[in-house]
């Protein structure tokens, strides 16, 4: 086969493969996460929003909790491998999707601040009866973890 024939066959394959894909809705309803997702209600003024999160405990726990905070252009699902390793080591793992990301609400006219995201994360953890924990953040999640630690130092063990 010549190059043009191979190119056209490849293009045809891609077109057929992509025909099966559907676009995702803003809350990623049809996108499967590695663990069950729950929702926590938050408010911004009079607007009611939902914060998605995964809360997974090990079969045999060590009594400690780790909270994982995602970076700006991703969501909690990408912590899958880290979650698996931590759960295997006995940790309870909580991974929120910050409002505006992943399966959480996507408000159209809201100025996101690290302080607001930290407050909502604190409210979620308080509602889950998590008093102290280890906090891990990646990229923007690292900035959020720093803000969280400054606002709620009594809750962060490491």
């Amino acid at each position: 086969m010549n190059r043009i024939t191979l190119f056209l066959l490849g293009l045809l394959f891609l077109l057929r493969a992509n025909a099966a894909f559907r676009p995702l809705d803003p809350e990623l309803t049809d996108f499967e996460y590695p663990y069950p997702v729950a929702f926590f209600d938050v408010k911004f003024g009079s607007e009611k929003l939902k914060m998605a999160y995964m809360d997974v405990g090990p079969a045999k726990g060590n009594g400690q909790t780790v909270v994982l905070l995602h970076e700006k252009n991703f969501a909690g699902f990408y912590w899958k491998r880290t979650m698996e390793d931590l759960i295997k080591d006995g940790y309870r793992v909580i991974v929120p999707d910050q409002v505006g990301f992943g399966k959480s609400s996507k408000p159209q006219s809201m100025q996101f601040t690290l302080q607001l995201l930290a407050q909502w994360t604190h409210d979620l953890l308080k509602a889950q009866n998590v008093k102290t924990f280890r906090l891990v953040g990646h990229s923007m999640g690292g900035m959020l973890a720093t803000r969280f630690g400054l606002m709620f130092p009594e809750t962060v063990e490491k």
Side-chain angles (χ1 to χ4, degrees), residues 3-91:
R3 286 183 177 172
I4 294 174
T5 304
L6 286 174
F7 172 78
L8 291 174
L9 284 173
L11 185 60
L12 180 62
F13 174 78
L14 288 174
L15 290 173
R16 282 188 180 174
N18 286 331
F21 292 114
R22 294 179 299 172
L24 296 172
D25 67 341
E27 279 75 37
L28 304 180
T29 306
D30 293 330
F31 184 82
E32 193 172 325
Y33 272 43
Y35 296 97
V37 175
F39 294 90
F40 179 70
D41 294 326
V42 298
K43 287 181 83 176
F44 182 70
S46 62
E47 190 173 3
K48 294 180 182 177
L49 306 169
K50 293 206 174 285
M51 183 180 201
Y53 67 97
M54 293 177 283
D55 184 349
V56 186
K60 183 177 179 186
N62 62 18
Q64 298 177 333
T65 300
V66 176
V67 176
L68 304 173
L69 302 176
H70 64 78
E71 67 171 296
K72 186 173 184 175
N73 292 319
F74 287 91
F77 66 85
Y78 84 85
W79 285 110
K80 179 183 181 217
R81 176 62 193 268
T82 304
M83 292 176 73
E84 290 170 351
D85 290 343
L86 289 167
I87 293 164
K88 183 178 68 177
D89 287 342
Y91 291 95

Side-chain angles (χ1 to χ4, degrees), residues 76-138:
F77 66 85
Y78 84 85
W79 285 110
K80 179 183 181 217
R81 176 62 193 268
T82 304
M83 292 176 73
E84 290 170 351
D85 290 343
L86 289 167
I87 293 164
K88 183 178 68 177
D89 287 342
Y91 291 95
R92 174 184 181 187
V93 181
I94 300 176
V95 184
D97 276 351
Q98 296 301 321
V99 171
F101 302 92
K103 291 184 176 281
S104 293
S105 298
K106 314 286 185 309
Q108 295 301 308
S109 58
M110 184 180 122
Q111 179 64 44
F112 292 91
T113 65
L114 294 174
Q115 184 160 337
L116 182 59
L117 298 177
Q119 182 64 56
W120 285 339
T121 302
H122 179 264
D123 295 346
L124 165 67
L125 295 170
K126 188 174 180 182
Q128 299 307 310
N129 201 31
V130 178
K131 294 177 178 32
T132 60
F133 52 90
R134 294 163 185 222
L135 188 58
V136 178
H138 176 238

Side-chain angles (χ1 to χ4, degrees), residues 133-158:
F133 52 90
R134 294 163 185 222
L135 188 58
V136 178
H138 176 238
S139 192
M140 183 202 76
M143 294 187 305
L144 176 55
T146 301
R147 170 55 60 188
F148 191 103
L150 290 169
M151 291 173 64
F152 308 105
E154 69 285 355
T155 64
V156 180
E157 293 173 351
K158 292 184 179 190

